[in-house]
Amino acid sequence: MLFLALCITVILFHRASPEIHLVGFGFFVVAVMDVIHTISFIGYFQSPLDQHDLSSRFWVAGRFVEALVLLLISKNIIFRTTKWNWLLMSLLLSIILSVFLFYPPAMPSLFINGQGATGTKILMEIVITSMFALALFFRYRKFNSWSTEKDRYVFLALLITIPGELIFAVFTSVNSYLMVLGHLLKICYYYYLFKGIFVSTITAPYRDLELSSERFYKIFHKVPVSLSIVSIDDYKYVDVNKEWVATTGYSREEIINKSQNEFNILTKDMHRLIRNRPVRNILVSFNAKNGETRDVLLTTEAIQLNGKACFLYVGIDITEKNKYEKEMSRLDRLNTVGQMAAGIGHEVRNPLTVVRGFLQLFLIRKDLSPYKKQVELMLSELDQANDIITEFLSLARTKNRESKEMDVNEVINRIMPLLTAEAYKQDKYVTAVLQSVPKTVLDENEIRQLLLNLVKNALDSMPEKGTVTLKTSFEDDVVVLAISDQGTGIPKEIQDNIGAPFFTTKKNGTGLGIATCYKVVENHKAKMDFQSSPQGTTFYIRFTPCPPDSVNESFLALETS
């Protein structure tokens, strides 16, 4: 009991719950009483009192203090004072009780050897048992609201100690079996009582801390926004989550405990902007490890982590959202162009045809020969206007498309002579590197227009002797058509405008060629993107192949082999 009380007292000395202090320091007094009870029982003290009677006094005193403490905490009667006052009061109470109980006239005889407990001891044991029973009753009233192991263990301890106390009220000999049974019940009582207190003061807090740490870990790493914690003192990364790793491409191992200055994730100007104050939803660019730039909405907050001042960076990656919005804007512009073309295309083309016919008549009249150059210029401008209207109408095409399952390589082979001739006129080259690919659902006329537009743009971007390469392949379950040139690339500042109607860098361009290509790709439920560098530009068109039962036999044979 002394060991139990000392453990509880030492452990609880730094835990400031008033209820726990009452239990800890109250049981310290109980432990002192039980130690003197044991020493008295073996006859160590020289006293006018019989050793068994003296031992019974300290036994009853210990049980009374014990029952009183449990009754008070079961009734939620708590005394709020400092831990040092508790220690002082427990020491004074132990000394006062010890001096009082060693004084023979302090109380009547409690135990007579050979006869057993006297009436006084029986009465006192009944009172103590009643206090335990009352504590048990108060605990039982809160039965439905039990939520901790402490409540269950203390209830079980009280349930066990009541029959034990009754045994100590009726036993006749210290060597009887009832005496052994009573002490066994007392051991079980102390076991469950200690376990309940230990669980509530040590195990439960650490378990709560562990659960809290686990919740923080899961939230920190599973939340679908990038999170990083940076020390304010030295600007070193304390921790980063999985979304941050996915956004930047850096692993936790190569970033933790490294300074932000060692990486170029954010520009120096941006660091200066957010270094000394929290910010809310500002648009920044994350420079990923692979050189890619990600658009991120960044929020920062100053926090304390283990007593250390830190910044919490919260980033929402909006790169895909921005791409989606740009695509929607481009499609909206295409729709506007289509509506315009559908409304005015045919009406404008018909009078232009009439005007062109008269100009051709003027061109063959000899009396108008002095105006030949002016007439030819007007015809050229009319043809340019007609080309623009043709591009408009291709964007607004509403006729039924003639789509069928076919091999994209077949379309390329059929148009290659035309593409080669176009390149020959500019002293350039077109080559094809075609792999066996599955069939896809294609409109051949639209695909020919797509190829012609992209190859013409590629030829126009290259110097003489340059080569345009058409490649086909089957990658990641999609048919890929790649058209590469050897030009100087598309400037980064205009790449976002590629595909926008009327945007062109050519002197006489309409700005509708690439827009038409995107329209064709959209009609085929395909995807088109490009990569550009100073060494050239490559456009990628990715088609979804036909279902397996429709794949051409030659491709299946190739895959099998």
Side-chain angles (χ1 to χ4, degrees):
M1 180 61 196
L2 178 62
F3 173 74
L4 182 148
L6 288 175
C7 287
I8 294 176
T9 306
V10 172
I11 290 171
L12 303 183
F13 198 74
H14 297 287
R15 298 184 180 274
S17 166
E19 177 186 7
I20 297 305
H21 277 155
L22 176 60
V23 173
F25 292 109
F27 271 81
F28 177 80
V29 176
V30 174
V32 173
M33 298 297 102
D34 280 355
V35 168
I36 299 177
H37 156 74
T38 303
I39 296 175
S40 301
F41 182 79
I42 60 179
Y44 182 80
F45 290 119
Q46 297 295 324
S47 171
L49 296 171
D50 178 74
Q51 66 184 67
H52 297 104
D53 189 27
L54 180 63
S55 175
S56 296
R57 288 188 176 192
F58 282 96
W59 170 268
V60 170
R63 302 292 72 75
F64 182 83
V65 173
E66 184 179 323
L68 180 62
V69 168
L70 292 176
L71 180 60
L72 291 174
I73 64 171
S74 298
K75 186 58 177 173
N76 290 326
I77 300 175
I78 306 299
F79 303 98
R80 297 182 181 274
T81 185
T82 66
K83 55 192 175 185
W84 296 107
N85 286 339
W86 276 116
L87 181 60
L88 179 62
M89 286 188 294
S90 61
L91 290 174
L92 286 175
L93 183 60
S94 299
I95 294 171
I96 293 171
L97 280 176
S98 299
V99 172
F100 176 77
L101 294 175
F102 269 105
Y103 183 61
M107 63 176 63
S109 178
L110 300 180
F111 185 83
I112 300 175
N113 193 23
Q115 296 182 12
T118 65
T120 304
K121 184 176 186 301
I122 292 174
L123 178 61
M124 296 180 72
E125 289 284 4
I126 292 174
V127 171
I128 292 171
T129 303
S130 300
M131 294 171 67
F132 279 124
L134 196 56
L136 182 66
F137 171 72
F138 290 135
R139 290 276 170 180
Y140 180 76
R141 289 181 63 183
K142 298 188 295 184
F143 184 84
N144 293 331
S145 61
W146 289 0
S147 59
T148 64
E149 290 180 276
K150 179 197 76 171
D151 294 315
R152 293 191 290 271
Y153 283 131
V154 172
F155 184 86
L156 185 59
L158 288 170
L159 200 60
I160 292 174
T161 196
I162 289 174
E165 288 299 324
L166 292 176
I167 287 175
F168 287 114
V170 298
F171 77 98
T172 57
S173 172
V174 295
N175 297 318
S176 67
Y177 289 109
L178 283 177
M179 184 73 165
V180 174
L181 178 59
H183 280 89
L184 287 176
L185 289 175
K186 212 66 180 175
I187 291 172
C188 293
Y189 156 73
Y190 281 129
Y191 168 77
Y192 286 112
L193 186 64
F194 177 74
K195 194 168 183 179
I197 297 172
F198 188 82
V199 164
S200 65
T201 57
I202 298 297
T203 308
Y206 278 103
R207 185 183 300 131
D208 292 342
L209 181 63
E210 183 179 349
L211 290 174
S212 177
S213 177
E214 183 181 358
R215 284 194 296 268
F216 170 79
Y217 179 86
K218 288 182 177 179
I219 293 172
F220 185 78
H221 286 284
K222 297 296 184 181
V223 66
V225 296
S226 63
L227 299 176
S228 60
I229 301 173
V230 177
S231 169
I232 292 179
D233 294 335
D234 49 18
Y235 296 101
K236 288 184 177 181
Y237 286 99
V238 177
D239 202 356
V240 295
N241 71 344
K242 294 179 180 179
E243 186 67 21
W244 188 94
V245 170
T247 301
T248 64
Y250 292 96
S251 65
R252 294 183 73 251
E253 290 72 19
E254 60 184 321
I255 206 83
I256 299 300
N257 292 326
K258 300 290 181 62
S259 173
Q260 287 180 315
N261 298 326
E262 298 182 38
F263 305 91
N264 191 32
I265 297 172
L266 289 173
T267 63
K268 292 183 179 179
D269 291 338
M270 188 54 62
H271 276 302
R272 281 193 288 269
L273 174 65
I274 65 178
R275 176 165 289 181
N276 298 318
R277 62 184 180 88
V279 296
R280 291 288 182 274
N281 293 324
I282 63 171
L283 182 61
V284 302
S285 294
F286 271 19
N287 299 312
K289 186 178 181 181
N290 60 3
E292 182 183 5
T293 300
R294 309 290 296 181
D295 297 328
V296 176
L297 281 178
L298 183 66
T299 297
T300 64
E301 187 65 53
I303 62 172
Q304 288 287 328
L305 193 63
N306 295 329
K308 191 174 184 181
C310 297
F311 258 135
L312 173 65
Y313 290 70
V314 181
I316 302 175
D317 192 343
I318 59 172
T319 307
E320 299 304 323
K321 173 180 173 292
N322 286 348
K323 288 181 179 179
Y324 174 77
E325 289 179 349
K326 289 176 182 177
E327 179 68 9
M328 292 300 295
S329 177
R330 185 187 65 80
L331 293 175
D332 185 60
R333 290 195 296 269
L334 285 177
N335 183 57
T336 301
V337 172
Q339 291 176 356
M340 292 171 58
I344 67 174
H346 292 289
E347 282 71 14
V348 172
R349 196 176 230 176
N350 290 335
L352 287 181
T353 303
V354 175
V355 173
R356 194 177 193 284
F358 280 107
L359 287 174
Q360 287 176 324
L361 291 175
F362 293 159
L363 195 60
I364 62 176
R365 286 181 57 174
K366 293 181 180 181
D367 58 330
L368 296 177
S369 58
Y371 304 101
K372 181 178 181 180
K373 289 184 178 180
Q374 288 84 346
V375 173
E376 288 177 345
L377 178 60
M378 285 188 286
L379 285 171
S380 175
E381 291 300 318
L382 283 175
D383 289 339
Q384 177 71 10
N386 191 60
D387 288 341
I388 293 175
I389 293 172
T390 301
E391 296 284 1
F392 268 105
L393 292 175
S394 67
L395 289 175
R397 179 175 295 172
T398 57
K399 69 177 185 178
N400 293 331
R401 299 169 57 246
E402 298 178 359
S403 300
K404 60 181 179 180
E405 292 183 8
M406 59 188 309
D407 191 332
V408 70
N409 291 339
E410 297 176 13
V411 183
I412 294 174
N413 288 328
R414 290 173 187 169
I415 200 174
M416 273 301 292
L418 177 59
L419 300 178
T420 302
E422 187 71 27
Y424 180 76
K425 290 189 297 183
Q426 302 181 36
D427 195 17
K428 300 170 186 176
Y429 306 96
V430 176
T431 183
V433 181
L434 309 179
Q435 299 181 15
S436 180
V437 295
K439 287 184 177 181
T440 56
V441 178
L442 303 175
D443 182 314
E444 183 173 357
N445 291 330
E446 288 190 348
I447 299 301
R448 286 169 64 91
Q449 184 180 16
L450 170 75
L451 291 169
L452 191 59
N453 286 353
L454 291 178
V455 171
K456 280 185 176 181
N457 282 347
L459 291 171
D460 292 341
S461 69
M462 295 190 306
E464 293 182 356
K465 306 300 181 182
T467 301
V468 176
T469 304
L470 282 71
K471 293 183 180 179
T472 57
S473 60
F474 186 61
E475 303 172 4
D476 299 327
D477 297 328
V478 294
V479 176
V480 181
L481 168 61
I483 301 173
S484 306
D485 63 50
Q486 296 177 337
T488 57
I490 303 172
K492 191 171 183 179
E493 58 270 17
I494 68 170
Q495 288 184 6
D496 290 341
N497 295 320
I498 298 300
F502 308 115
F503 177 80
T504 181
T505 57
K506 299 178 184 179
K507 185 177 180 180
N508 297 318
T510 64
L512 296 172
I514 298 297
T516 302
C517 293
Y518 273 105
K519 180 67 175 179
V520 171
V521 169
E522 181 187 352
N523 291 341
H524 285 79
K525 293 183 174 57
K527 294 181 180 179
M528 183 169 75
D529 55 23
F530 64 89
Q531 293 180 354
S532 188
S533 70
Q535 289 72 43
T537 301
T538 301
F539 275 83
Y540 298 94
I541 301 95
R542 294 175 171 84
F543 299 95
T544 302
C546 297
D549 56 350
S550 301
V551 175
N552 62 45
E553 296 179 0
S554 62
F555 178 77
L556 286 176
L558 177 64
E559 287 295 299
T560 304
S561 63

